[in-house]
Amino acid sequence: MSDLPFHGNEKFSTDTSVAERQQKDPKEIARRYQLQLCEKAKEENIIVYLETGCGKTLIAVLLIQEFAKAIKKPGRNVCVFLAPTVPLVEQQADVIRSHSNFKVGRYYGDAKHSSKAHQDWIEELEKYEVLVMTPDILLHNLHHCFMKMELIELLIFDECHHAQKRHPYAQIMREFFKKERGKCPRIFGMTASPIMGKGGSNQVEYAKGINSLEQLLDAKVYTVVDRSELESFVPSPITNVWYYNKKNCLEYESIVSCQKKFDECKQKHICLVFSCCNGKNMEICKHDVKGNMKKTKTITRLYGELMYCLDELGLWGAKQAVKMQLDDMVGSTNANDDNAENHVTNAFLRDSLLILDPYVEDAFEEPFFSSKVKALVEILSQYRNRKDMKCIVFVKRIITARLLTKMINHVQLLPVWRCEFLVGCHSGMKEMSRAKMNKIVDKFRSGEFNLLVATNVAEEGLDIQTCCLVVRFDLPNTVASFIQSRGRARMQESGYIFLVERGNLSQEKRVEHFIDGEEQMRREVQNRSPDGAEQYEEEEDQIYRVNATDATISTGCCVSLLHHFCSKLSKDEYFIPVPEYFYFEEPGGVICR
């Protein structure tokens, strides 16, 4: 893949010759249910609802081939394949190229930084037959009339459950599909969960969620009714709950003492932020209220992370969290700057380390390691003798991913597990680039690592090899998250395990809601009436159209355009142009100008 210089941060692929590809005819490897769903997609707009690993992308490739005559060059029409993340764009483009003769372009990055965009996109449309891109790129091009919906023969939405509220998927359909003055493309959606909810809703709420998605995408949801063939190719993991005993922190004097001292440390440093010591008197510093509030938020955030680590991971985890934060400051480009916020952060962390030092030992027991961490080690120990052992542990916080990785590599009880953590490249960690993410995934695939501790970045959007074990160290937030993370465990006799605190009825109910929610969704899709779906009123955006160019902007996208305009204005260290908003109360509500 090479970058065209005139498109700024957008990435464009170069096309390899057909002879260089080792193609496999998708029709020869397609399963019966994939061929049946493709036939249905030829007849009408559909959304394919299948779990992760069941071959939804292959159905999309089969469908693209059905549109080959309409999109082959030198014709003007194209297929647009939308994927919500950059790794998914790259992954899906590779799949299409490996299974077809189509000329495939891939596009992602900040659409608003491209220059000479109109002519460049004319050339791209003349060159490529299938354009795989993030939805922001297509939305930007449609707004500026660089592309027109009437030129798109087939529009594919990967992970289409994101099509809601102000997501670009939803904006594309609301603004350009139903209101386009020319013909509309065939719509094909793919999802492992047609709704994004937390589970536990009744059948009516699931029906409403599915109906809303169908209405927005102008498509019907289909799934596999007879699951025997599906299960023979893609076995489902055995789902279990592993209970751990959450000890009362009052049982450990060291935990209680640390908590008390952390509280005192936080209050001390917040007071220091707002006070200037002249040796005898304390004067409130009023000259930098905004800066002081920022420092206070930093201290509060660090305190919250320390208390979280102390509770979830134990004393050892809390100490390692402090050391990691200090190491991150040393590695930061601003660490040596005369920066007041850095000094405040450094002082708070060093005091916290002094608090923890007397209490922490390396012994693998409570309170140095929490009962939850010990439960994870027990689970991993049970799977250590499998020949095909590969595992993903899902967590919510970046700090948890880093600390568990260090702990697993540190504990001598688990020498067979070679661990690395995986977080998103937009997580705030400067060293976690997209290239490093891909490198970690490649090493996991090759077996150099056999255990990943990952945030939700590993649920969708990365081509991660199937595992024999998936552990939810932290419970998922939504039914979609549950289904997608479980889909990573697709080996024979694989396991999917929730870590649940014994006696915590809230956690137990959430797990039940996830499992019941998936069954309710499947039942709703299988039993729905072809014409009985209830319609819902959607709030329509106002559209402003430039008659001379046919370019448009909606109320949903105008704020980002204002910020982009301001970013192009002259600025210096004393003035950074940003939009100013004014609010007026009127009979119909509050108006923002």
Side-chain angles (χ1 to χ4, degrees):
M1 186 174 71
S2 67
D3 297 347
L4 297 184
F6 47 76
H7 279 282
N9 291 337
E10 280 184 23
K11 308 298 182 190
F12 289 72
S13 69
T14 54
D15 192 51
T16 54
S17 67
V18 174
E20 292 175 351
R21 308 179 198 168
Q22 294 182 341
Q23 291 183 34
K24 294 180 182 178
D25 186 349
K27 288 186 178 180
E28 293 180 3
I29 61 175
R31 301 154 193 162
R32 185 166 58 90
Y33 69 85
Q34 291 172 315
L35 293 170
Q36 289 174 343
L37 287 169
C38 179
E39 285 299 314
K40 183 63 69 175
K42 287 163 56 179
E43 301 168 3
E44 60 180 322
N45 295 342
I46 74 167
I47 298 164
V48 170
Y49 162 38
L50 291 173
E51 298 96 313
T52 303
C54 294
K56 295 186 289 291
T57 304
L58 189 66
I59 302 172
V61 174
L62 290 168
L63 185 60
I64 295 171
Q65 288 191 334
E66 296 295 333
F67 281 78
K69 288 184 180 179
I71 65 176
K72 277 291 185 183
K73 297 306 170 191
R76 299 173 64 231
N77 292 356
V78 295
C79 165
V80 174
F81 191 123
L82 299 177
T85 64
V86 174
L88 263 178
V89 168
E90 295 180 329
Q91 176 185 322
Q92 304 295 41
D94 288 340
V95 171
I96 297 168
R97 288 161 60 106
S98 66
H99 289 296
S100 71
N101 299 335
F102 294 114
K103 298 172 183 176
V104 182
R106 65 186 83 187
Y107 313 86
Y108 52 81
D110 188 349
K112 291 174 182 168
H113 283 84
S114 56
S115 59
K116 302 181 182 177
H118 198 176
Q119 182 58 38
D120 299 334
W121 278 105
I122 290 175
E123 294 173 5
E124 294 299 312
L125 292 170
E126 290 175 349
K127 182 177 181 181
Y128 293 111
E129 296 154 342
V130 181
L131 288 74
V132 187
M133 62 181 69
T134 52
D136 298 274
I137 300 288
L138 179 61
L139 183 59
H140 176 264
N141 288 348
L142 291 171
H143 274 148
H144 293 272
C145 218
F146 300 155
M147 293 176 66
K148 291 190 176 182
M149 191 68 91
E150 62 192 36
L151 296 180
I152 302 175
E153 284 286 338
L154 174 62
L155 182 56
I156 299 173
F157 293 86
D158 196 9
E159 310 291 357
C160 69
H161 51 269
H162 291 291
Q164 54 180 302
K165 298 180 181 178
R166 295 295 187 184
H167 191 277
Y169 278 177
Q171 294 295 113
I172 288 167
M173 292 301 294
R174 287 195 191 104
E175 295 180 38
F176 297 100
F177 183 81
K178 296 173 182 177
K179 299 175 183 177
E180 186 67 27
R181 287 166 287 186
K183 69 181 183 68
C184 291
R186 173 60 48 85
I187 300 295
F188 181 73
M190 302 185 289
T191 181
S193 171
I195 67 167
M196 292 280 285
K198 293 186 177 182
S201 302
N202 57 38
Q203 199 75 29
V204 174
E205 289 301 312
Y206 281 108
K208 183 177 179 180
I210 294 170
N211 289 347
S212 296
L213 182 65
E214 288 184 331
Q215 184 176 329
L216 183 59
L217 294 184
D218 194 40
K220 293 180 181 178
V221 179
Y222 287 92
T223 190
V224 175
V225 178
D226 181 7
R227 298 181 59 82
S228 56
E229 182 190 18
L230 197 65
E231 292 289 344
S232 67
F233 285 108
V234 191
S236 294
I238 301 168
T239 300
N240 282 313
V241 175
W242 190 287
Y243 291 98
Y244 64 93
N245 295 312
K246 186 79 175 268
K247 294 282 185 73
N248 188 333
C249 65
L250 296 177
E251 294 181 25
Y252 299 106
E253 185 180 342
S254 54
I255 295 283
V256 176
S257 179
C258 280
Q259 288 175 337
K260 184 179 179 180
K261 290 180 179 180
F262 281 151
D263 287 337
E264 294 171 353
C265 185
K266 182 185 79 166
Q267 294 303 323
K268 168 191 165 183
H269 284 276
I270 288 176
C271 288
L272 287 173
V273 165
F274 287 97
S275 303
C276 300
C277 181
N278 61 9
K280 292 183 180 180
N281 300 319
M282 302 293 285
E283 298 176 350
I284 301 299
C285 296
K286 297 180 179 179
H287 63 276
D288 188 14
V289 174
K290 189 175 180 180
N292 289 339
M293 290 302 298
K294 187 177 180 182
K295 295 169 196 171
T296 302
K297 285 183 179 179
T298 300
I299 292 172
T300 304
R301 176 182 59 80
L302 291 172
Y303 166 81
E305 283 200 347
L306 279 178
M307 296 298 281
Y308 169 82
C309 292
L310 194 63
D311 184 56
E312 288 287 294
L313 306 176
L315 286 164
W316 187 89
K319 181 178 179 179
Q320 295 303 318
V322 175
K323 294 173 74 173
M324 277 184 181
Q325 296 279 5
L326 287 168
D327 290 343
D328 288 348
M329 287 191 67
V330 172
S332 171
T333 54
N334 296 322
N336 297 319
D337 293 349
D338 186 18
N339 186 309
E341 187 178 349
N342 281 339
H343 291 316
V344 169
T345 302
N346 191 286
F348 174 77
L349 290 173
R350 292 197 177 280
D351 279 359
S352 300
L353 194 59
L354 289 174
I355 293 170
L356 285 162
D357 268 338
Y359 297 106
V360 179
E361 297 178 17
D362 274 349
F364 190 66
E365 60 186 45
E366 295 181 72
F368 312 115
F369 294 86
S370 69
S371 57
K372 189 174 183 180
V373 168
K374 290 176 67 179
L376 175 63
V377 171
E378 290 173 16
I379 293 168
L380 295 175
S381 297
Q382 287 195 2
Y383 280 78
R384 68 181 184 273
N385 294 323
R386 283 192 60 152
K387 293 180 181 179
D388 56 355
M389 63 180 195
K390 270 192 170 67
C391 171
I392 300 178
V393 177
F394 281 99
V395 298
K396 287 183 181 177
R397 300 192 182 203
I398 296 168
I399 190 71
T400 312
R402 297 175 69 186
L403 289 171
L404 283 181
T405 299
K406 187 166 187 174
M407 183 274 297
I408 291 167
N409 290 332
H410 171 80
V411 175
Q412 297 303 311
L413 301 172
L414 301 169
V416 294
W417 290 106
R418 301 173 300 280
C419 186
E420 184 57 278
F421 70 90
L422 183 67
V423 299
C425 59
H426 298 297
S427 61
M429 289 189 62
K430 293 181 180 179
E431 62 269 28
M432 187 57 75
S433 63
R434 188 166 286 116
K436 184 170 182 180
M437 285 176 62
N438 292 335
K439 191 174 182 180
I440 290 170
V441 172
D442 289 341
K443 287 184 177 181
F444 185 67
R445 189 182 296 113
S446 68
E448 187 172 339
F449 302 129
N450 58 6
L451 173 59
L452 281 183
V453 184
T455 57
N456 61 358
V457 70
E459 290 178 0
E460 67 178 40
L462 289 174
D463 187 15
I464 296 177
Q465 190 175 12
T466 299
C467 306
C468 69
L469 174 65
V470 169
V471 180
R472 291 295 323 204
F473 187 82
D474 296 319
L475 297 182
N477 286 328
T478 64
V479 178
S481 176
F482 157 61
I483 294 171
Q484 288 176 319
S485 60
R486 190 191 58 187
R488 297 303 186 186
R490 287 293 182 184
M491 288 183 178
Q492 291 290 341
E493 299 181 1
S494 56
Y496 182 79
I497 298 176
F498 293 104
L499 269 174
V500 173
E501 179 186 338
R502 191 181 302 278
N504 190 320
L505 298 180
S506 174
Q507 290 186 5
E508 291 177 2
K509 185 172 285 189
R510 282 177 66 190
V511 172
E512 291 175 5
H513 285 173
F514 291 140
I515 296 171
D516 292 344
E518 181 186 27
E519 184 56 39
Q520 287 188 61
M521 278 195 297
R522 187 179 294 135
R523 191 163 55 244
E524 172 62 29
V525 170
Q526 291 175 349
N527 299 332
R528 37 201 302 108
S529 168
D531 303 310
E534 185 180 350
Q535 297 294 303
Y536 297 94
E537 289 290 329
E538 286 195 353
E539 183 179 343
E540 293 192 3
D541 285 341
Q542 292 182 340
I543 305 293
Y544 173 78
R545 185 180 300 274
V546 180
N547 293 326
T549 62
D550 223 21
T552 61
I553 190 66
S554 68
T555 50
C557 298
C558 62
V559 174
S560 62
L561 188 64
L562 285 172
H563 280 275
H564 173 63
F565 171 75
C566 288
S567 71
K568 296 297 183 183
L569 300 175
S570 300
K571 56 180 175 285
D572 56 31
E573 60 182 308
Y574 301 104
F575 174 70
I576 299 176
V578 293
E580 287 188 12
Y581 300 100
F582 304 92
Y583 298 91
F584 306 91
E585 287 194 21
E586 294 191 2
V590 177
I591 303 295
C592 174
R593 299 192 188 282

